[in-house]
Amino acid sequence: MAVTEGILRRQSARESAARTYARALPIVPVRARGLTIEGADGRRYLDCLSGAGTLALGHNHPVVLEAIRKVLDSGAPLHVLDLATPVKDAFITELFHTLPPGLADHARVQFCGPAGTDAVEAALKLVRAATGRSGILAFTGAYHGMTAGALAASGGACDVRVTRLPYPQDYRCPFGVGGERGAELAARWTESVLDDPKSGVRHPAGMILEPVQGEGGVIPAPDTWLRRMRQITAARSIPLIADEVQTGVGRTGAFWAVEHSGVTPDVMVLSKAIGGSLPLAVVVYRDDLDVWEPGAHAGTFRGNQLAMAAGTATLAYVRRHHLSERAATLGSRMLSQLRDLAGEFPCIGDVRGRGLMMGMEMVGAGAGAGAGAGAGASGGGGFAGDSGSSGVTDPGGDLAGDLVDIGAAGARESVGGPRPAAPDIAAAVQRECLRRGLIVELGGRHSSVVRLLPPLTITDEQASAVLDRLADAVESVAGSHTAHDEPRQPQRRRRRQGDRAERAG
Ligand code: PLP
């Protein structure tokens, strides 16, 4: 305990005020395997944060460790810039093996600096070079990374103009209708912005989108909308960039999330899971776009051999063991169990996700106000990384107040739209989960979405343990603040409590 406290004290004294996860998760991991992390104090946690969605195979999977050891023992150079090596060659072969048909046969790959954000920068640069145009179309709620200014400070051109378009969402639909109709209206808006000569938007260099918005609150794009974006961009010769940094490698129930819709993007941005827990990022694109100059996108750390070996092992394991199918089946079962939980606790406003990328939006009391209902609750579009700073505060200063009369608010929901987002309740659930040995992520436009990103290797038993702990945490947050949020089905709660053996190791 003293070791843990000492390390945490020194961390808060010495590390940046911008640190994120560390604020909401005051633990000191020293060992990890699969779903489980062990802290310096000996406590064990079920990790459903998975390195912000990086760990497709969980922590320290044997095939990943073996691949890393093999490179270390071989005497191969660990730093090679962007030179060719057998390790890199094997990685590209395995990566191309997994690509959506239509891209695989005509693909080029650019290795980037090791973070997802660097690959996003490279993708934007690529389409600007290929089209000779400069503007980019992006979507409300999108998250593509954190870099800004490095190129400007280096004297490079970086005046990327971004036009923001509506991303379809059911629960807080900007048009107040949701469903297929909301998605169709969002598509029409995009079309009209591109075709209206007075829209103020010049013909863009590319469109970038996430097939499932992760940090934006776990919002899967409807397949029909994604196909519409493909038609709209193809008809106007606008390269479509799919940012699969978080959705890739089986996470959503398909190897790449674009496969659900059958869409073939022109460019794919990949990172996180492709490095098998080590830093790696690439852009994959159609070869006719490959017209940029040598050195157009450089970077010292583009040749991480250990990450490529770990990545090759991970990609191959996910493919050979059909882990995307497993993510689809288990994910839909877990989502339906989360929906049952939402039926018990009105402070869960919405449950959504795809595969093993799941979220639960926490809401407070108050009349719904359509699309803008949540805006007043947190005063900011925080992403997952903000959860430690903005998510743990209670903007209204009254968590109990948020929960009072929530049942009555629930009755109004259908007529007045969704209730206000409740980042304070989400943060309380995250804290209660941690107390019960479960690590969850927060995200969403208002930091009000409790997110689950378990490894694809999670067993049925572990999944039950995760849901038990989560249900317990929600119950304690709901129950400790007000008597008005009584579960709607107490018999189920009692059964769950009976079940609550520590099933995961
Ligand atoms: N794109 C998406 C969809 C992401 O989810 C993220 C990070 O969460 C990024 C890009 C940025 O990746 P990185 O944090 O490695 O820069």
Side-chain angles (χ1 to χ4, degrees):
M1 202 62 183
V3 173
T4 300
E5 280 166 10
I7 290 175
L8 291 176
R9 201 176 44 249
R10 286 192 291 283
Q11 177 183 46
S12 76
R14 301 192 296 209
E15 288 189 32
S16 157
R19 69 193 184 281
T20 53
Y21 303 101
R23 289 178 186 269
L25 303 170
I27 61 172
V28 178
V30 291
R31 253 178 302 278
R33 187 78 166 199
L35 179 69
T36 308
I37 284 185
E38 189 183 320
D41 56 3
R43 282 205 71 193
R44 289 157 74 100
Y45 302 87
L46 303 182
D47 179 14
C48 283
L49 172 56
S50 295
T54 301
L55 304 168
L57 305 185
H59 292 275
N60 293 333
H61 193 281
V63 298
V64 169
L65 296 184
E66 189 193 330
I68 292 172
R69 279 198 196 102
K70 212 167 141 196
V71 175
L72 287 175
D73 293 344
S74 74
L78 297 181
H79 192 298
V80 293
L81 298 165
D82 66 347
L83 303 183
T85 69
V87 172
K88 185 200 254 189
D89 190 55
F91 173 77
I92 297 173
T93 303
E94 182 57 43
L95 178 68
F96 278 24
H97 214 83
T98 68
L99 291 179
L103 187 55
D105 299 340
H106 312 279
R108 291 281 167 134
V109 59
Q110 162 76 22
F111 286 82
C112 302
T117 192
D118 193 68
V120 170
E121 298 285 359
L124 301 186
K125 231 184 254 177
L126 171 79
V127 295
R128 294 174 81 203
T131 60
R133 305 189 290 258
S134 65
I136 295 293
L137 305 176
F139 291 89
T140 50
Y143 183 74
H144 299 292
M146 283 279 177
T147 45
L151 197 56
S154 312
C158 82
D159 57 330
V160 178
R161 274 179 293 105
V162 174
T163 300
R164 206 149 294 272
L165 297 163
Y167 192 85
Q169 46 173 327
D170 283 347
Y171 191 59
R172 297 187 191 279
C173 173
F175 306 106
V177 290
E180 287 294 321
R181 177 91 186 117
E184 173 55 23
L185 291 174
R188 278 200 209 169
W189 177 260
T190 296
E191 223 166 10
S192 89
V193 161
L194 288 170
D195 293 345
D196 177 353
K198 297 289 182 198
S199 68
V201 178
R202 282 204 222 124
H203 199 43
M207 171 188 280
I208 183 165
L209 54 79
E210 296 156 87
V212 180
Q213 284 191 344
E215 306 304 306
V218 196
I219 305 184
D223 294 341
T224 45
W225 177 84
L226 210 50
R227 285 193 284 271
R228 288 273 276 129
M229 291 306 106
R230 178 64 286 186
Q231 287 156 1
I232 289 170
T233 49
R236 293 161 184 78
S237 302
I238 301 168
L240 177 65
I241 306 167
D243 180 344
E244 292 244 23
V245 165
Q246 192 164 142
T247 50
V249 195
R251 168 68 49 198
T252 69
F255 203 97
W256 305 108
V258 287
E259 289 167 21
H260 293 293
S261 60
V263 157
T264 304
D266 304 297
V267 182
M268 288 174 73
V269 183
L270 314 176
S271 187
K272 291 198 194 268
I274 64 160
S277 77
L278 298 177
L280 189 63
V282 299
V283 186
V284 178
Y285 52 95
R286 252 193 13 243
D287 52 8
D288 62 304
L289 295 172
D290 199 31
V291 296
W292 48 359
E293 297 293 321
H297 194 76
T300 308
F301 290 107
R302 285 175 293 158
N304 189 335
Q305 298 295 286
L306 295 182
M308 287 176 199
T312 307
T314 301
L315 296 172
Y317 193 92
V318 170
R319 181 169 63 79
R320 290 195 195 122
H321 290 81
H322 309 288
L323 291 191
S324 39
E325 285 91 325
R326 165 76 182 154
T329 321
L330 182 59
S332 75
R333 198 186 319 146
M334 289 179 79
L335 273 176
S336 105
Q337 285 163 337
L338 288 172
R339 289 199 177 104
D340 288 348
L341 195 65
E344 290 181 54
F345 296 101
C347 60
I348 304 173
D350 193 29
V351 168
R352 51 188 183 248
R354 199 153 202 180
L356 288 173
M357 191 167 174
M358 297 164 282
M360 232 170 47
E361 181 159 343
M362 309 308 292
V363 293
S378 70
F383 293 117
D386 298 336
S387 58
S389 50
S390 65
V392 292
T393 55
D394 179 358
D398 185 10
L399 176 57
D402 264 354
L403 287 157
V404 168
D405 287 339
I406 211 165
R412 284 196 298 272
E413 186 161 357
S414 55
V415 283
R419 292 196 306 275
D424 46 347
I425 296 177
V429 169
Q430 187 187 37
R431 277 195 302 274
E432 289 303 317
C433 282
L434 194 68
R435 286 188 54 214
R436 289 160 177 76
L438 173 65
I439 297 174
V440 296
E441 159 94 299
L442 291 191
R445 287 143 162 89
H446 312 290
S447 295
S448 59
V449 179
V450 175
R451 303 186 55 200
L452 295 174
L453 292 160
L456 314 186
T457 48
I458 184 173
T459 63
D460 289 350
E461 207 180 28
Q462 288 172 327
S464 301
V466 163
L467 291 177
D468 277 357
R469 291 178 197 195
L470 181 62
D472 235 25
V474 171
E475 186 175 328
S476 104
V477 171
S480 69
H481 292 281
T482 173
H484 294 257
D485 197 40
E486 273 299 300
R488 289 178 185 138
Q489 299 174 47
Q491 73 284 8
R492 176 178 293 147
R493 179 176 51 140
R494 276 195 299 274
R495 196 178 62 234
R496 202 178 48 237
Q497 282 168 338
D499 281 355
R500 207 179 302 133
E502 300 246 324
R503 280 183 267 191

